[in-house]
């Protein structure tokens, strides 16, 4: 067990590293943050800052010298760096878990081999086209690069074999091509699994995406108890099969006929789990700290239905933030800004959580708040259907 005063290391200094560092600080730990970007948000609150590459042996030696345990902010750090640190230190999640989750081919193959339902997919190695027989049932499909993608980046809609051939011409990377499903809903669940195998699950969130980026989450997802139990059971058993230690997030698709598919795994806290900071006894970041420090897991109990809205760079105009007046005035909304200097379209600049009597009510309020942020956003927000009033 690492006690207060101990130094916890995190690879990655974005908003997830920031929120991890704040949780660690609150529990008396010190943090060391590594990020190649000197303006990384987590540097503002960390005790030690290293601006450098995640693969640099000197950076890793410095971490090993100064930290008692190390975690990662996101899946796109080299698993080999975690493996190096693992030789002498507690690293959670393990390099093996991160290696599986950072490569869509390994991830989807793991899920399929373990008997979890995924969208039908094919693996395309080194930019090679699949045979027509393999390809036909996967169209219309979505081509996803096997590594480094996030927030819908590295993905292309594919309507025909010719389109796929055109896209792959001259490319040598590896991809998965998966069938585009007719989605009834998207859900996620965040869990923490301790070193002793104990699991604490948060309630299921229903998620709305826009252009492949999370727009809004509502909790508890307005679904039947049966579906919610099924989602939780699948997430739990994925964590067990991975022998996972740390915070794990599992994204799900629901298609016609109540068919449930696992979409992807994130070996870390999740954007759709930010609500846990304001609406649960302990947040997903508290759990990340606890697992890393070898403490028992905390309660995941939901204190209030809620919704979370993302504030993307699209809302900023010429570097200026949108008018946040309505959000600031709202009696049960809490605003988070990450302190990022360069707003860009699709970049996550902040989020807010609104608490209400029910998830549908909270989601309606979140929609209204998002619509209040700018005239252009109000038009954009109209493009989204509301969180389903009840999928059961
Ligand atoms: P990312 O790593 O960028 O989150 P995802 O694979 O989760 O990548 O895709 C982002 C979003 O794109 C999903 O949340 C969903 O809205 C949509 N999407 C991805 N794959 C499919 C699919 N097979 N069928 C329908 N929609 C999909
Ligand atoms: Mg996703």
């Amino acid at each position: 067990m690492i006690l207060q005063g101990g130094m916890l290391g995190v690879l990655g200094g974005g908003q997830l590293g920031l929120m991890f560092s704040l949780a660690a600080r609150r529990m008396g730990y010190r943090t060391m943050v590594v990020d190649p970007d000197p303006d990384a948000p987590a540097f503002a609150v960390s005790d030690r800052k290293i601006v450098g590459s995640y693969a640099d042996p000197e950076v890793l030696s410095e971490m090993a010298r100064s930290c008692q345990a190390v975690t990662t902010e996101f899946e796109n750090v080299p698993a080999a760096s975690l493996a190096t640190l693992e030789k002498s230190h507690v690293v959670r999640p393990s390099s093996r878990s991160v290696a599986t989750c950072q490569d869509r081919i390994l991830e989807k193959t793991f899920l399929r081999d373990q008997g979890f339902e995924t969208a039908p997919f094919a693996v395309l190695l080194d930019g090679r086209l699949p045979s027509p027989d393999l390809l036909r049932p996967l169209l219309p499909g979505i081509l996803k690069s096997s590594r480094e993608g996030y927030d819908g980046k590295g993905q292309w809609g594919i309507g025909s074999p010719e389109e796929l051939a055109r896209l792959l011409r001259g490319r040598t990377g590896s991809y998965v091509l998966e069938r585009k499903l007719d989605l009834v809903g998207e859900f996620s669940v965040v869990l923490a699994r301790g070193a002793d195998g104990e699991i604490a699950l948060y309630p299921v969130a229903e998620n709305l995406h826009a252009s492949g980026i999370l727009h809004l989450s509502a909790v508890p997802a307005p679904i039947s108890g049966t579906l919610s139990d099924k989602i939780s059971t699948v997430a739990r058993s994925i964590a067990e099969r991975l022998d996972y230690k740390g915070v794990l997030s599992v994204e799900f698709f629901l298609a016609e006929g109540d068919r449930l598919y696992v979409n992807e795994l994130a070996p870390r806290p999740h954007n759709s789990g930010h609500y846990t900071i304001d609406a649960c006894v302990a947040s997903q970041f508290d759990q990340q700290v606890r697992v890393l420090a070898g403490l028992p897991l905390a309660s995941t109990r939901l204190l209030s239905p809620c919704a979370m809205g993302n504030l993307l760079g699209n809302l900023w105009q010429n570097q200026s933030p949108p008018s946040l007046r309505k959000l600031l005035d709202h009696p049960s909304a809490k605003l988070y800004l990450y302190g990022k200097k360069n707003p860009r379209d699709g970049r996550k600049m902040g989020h807010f959580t609104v608490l209400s009597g029910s998830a549908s009510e909270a989601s309606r309020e979140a929609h209204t708040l998002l619509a209040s942020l700018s005239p252009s956003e109000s038009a954009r927000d109209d493009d989204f259907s509301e969180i389903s009033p009840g999928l059961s």
Side-chain angles (χ1 to χ4, degrees):
M1 204 185 275
I2 302 168
L3 299 173
Q4 63 160 356
M7 179 75 90
L8 305 179
V10 56
L11 291 163
Q15 65 271 18
L16 299 177
L18 169 75
M19 290 185 261
F20 166 79
S21 300
L22 290 169
R25 161 60 54 208
R26 208 159 23 73
M27 291 170 73
Y29 296 103
R30 293 174 301 138
T31 58
M32 172 183 272
V33 172
V34 176
D35 198 293
D37 176 0
D39 290 328
F43 284 149
V45 299
S46 60
D47 297 274
R48 295 278 314 275
K49 318 165 206 323
I50 300 185
V51 179
S53 152
Y54 305 126
D56 182 344
E58 277 183 33
V59 168
L60 300 179
S61 312
E62 181 54 35
M63 279 197 113
R65 261 195 306 278
S66 307
C67 300
Q68 278 152 286
V70 174
T71 190
T72 178
E73 171 197 54
F74 69 144
E75 52 276 33
N76 293 334
V77 299
S81 298
L82 296 174
T84 301
L85 291 162
E86 232 158 33
K87 289 185 192 142
S88 53
H89 285 65
V90 166
V91 175
R92 291 178 187 145
S94 69
S95 61
R96 215 177 114 248
S97 292
V98 173
T100 303
C101 298
Q102 74 183 185
D103 182 317
R104 284 191 201 276
I105 296 174
L106 295 181
E107 178 181 77
K108 291 191 110 67
T109 309
F110 161 81
L111 290 168
R112 183 165 65 187
D113 291 352
Q114 294 289 327
F116 299 106
E117 188 108 27
T118 64
F121 71 95
V123 169
L124 314 190
L125 290 177
D126 308 322
R128 284 198 299 274
L129 280 167
S131 68
D133 282 352
L134 201 60
L135 184 53
R136 219 168 295 118
L138 298 177
L139 296 179
I142 301 181
L143 184 70
K144 302 182 178 182
S145 60
S146 67
R147 299 175 77 92
E148 301 284 333
Y150 67 99
D151 286 347
K153 293 189 179 72
Q155 300 195 6
W156 302 266
I158 304 289
S160 65
E162 296 71 34
E163 207 176 330
L164 181 63
R166 241 191 339 268
L167 223 137
L168 288 178
R169 201 167 297 139
R171 292 184 194 257
T172 54
S174 294
Y175 302 85
V176 297
L177 176 68
E178 66 184 56
R179 197 170 75 211
K180 187 169 178 8
L181 302 171
D182 273 332
L183 300 183
V184 174
E186 293 195 59
F187 304 93
S188 57
V189 70
V190 176
L191 63 84
R193 187 165 183 270
D196 59 357
E198 179 198 4
I199 288 180
L201 270 159
Y202 285 98
V204 177
E206 185 181 7
N207 301 322
L208 281 182
H209 290 79
S211 312
I213 308 178
L214 185 66
H215 182 62
L216 197 148
S217 299
V219 188
I223 50 177
S224 68
T226 314
L227 181 56
S228 164
D229 289 349
K230 191 169 167 194
I231 288 173
S232 304
T233 304
V234 170
R236 179 186 285 275
S237 79
I238 289 172
E240 281 164 354
R241 304 276 178 86
L242 277 171
D243 193 19
Y244 194 87
K245 294 179 183 72
V247 172
L248 176 71
S249 312
V250 186
E251 296 180 12
F252 291 88
F253 291 147
L254 186 71
E256 282 308 332
D258 257 3
R259 289 201 65 168
L260 186 68
Y261 301 87
V262 179
N263 172 26
E264 61 170 350
L265 313 176
R268 52 168 170 83
H270 198 261
N271 190 172
S272 70
H274 290 351
Y275 76 88
T276 60
I277 301 173
D278 302 301
C280 293
V281 171
S283 78
Q284 56 176 350
F285 303 100
D286 294 333
Q287 306 284 24
Q288 191 180 16
V289 171
R290 283 185 177 230
V291 175
L292 192 58
L295 307 180
L297 301 180
S299 164
T300 55
R301 186 159 60 87
L302 186 69
L303 304 173
S304 166
C306 61
M308 190 260 353
N310 263 340
L311 303 177
L312 301 183
N314 317 40
L315 296 170
W316 271 242
Q317 285 182 343
N318 306 322
Q319 308 287 309
S320 308
S323 162
L324 298 167
R325 186 64 207 230
K326 288 241 166 59
L327 245 173
L328 294 166
D329 283 346
H330 193 282
S332 57
K334 241 173 106 175
L335 173 65
Y336 293 79
L337 292 171
Y338 308 143
K340 293 183 182 175
K341 282 196 179 143
N342 299 311
R344 285 190 303 272
D345 278 6
R347 190 168 197 212
K348 290 171 179 169
M349 303 299 290
H351 74 270
F352 65 88
T353 305
V354 57
L355 308 179
S356 199
S358 70
S360 318
E361 181 55 34
S363 144
R364 263 193 299 281
E365 291 188 40
H367 273 286
T368 307
L369 285 169
L370 281 168
S372 78
L373 293 176
S374 80
S376 55
E377 177 63 14
S378 103
R380 253 195 64 181
D381 201 54
D382 285 346
D383 297 342
F384 304 106
S385 56
E386 282 193 359
I387 288 272
S388 47
L391 289 166
S392 50

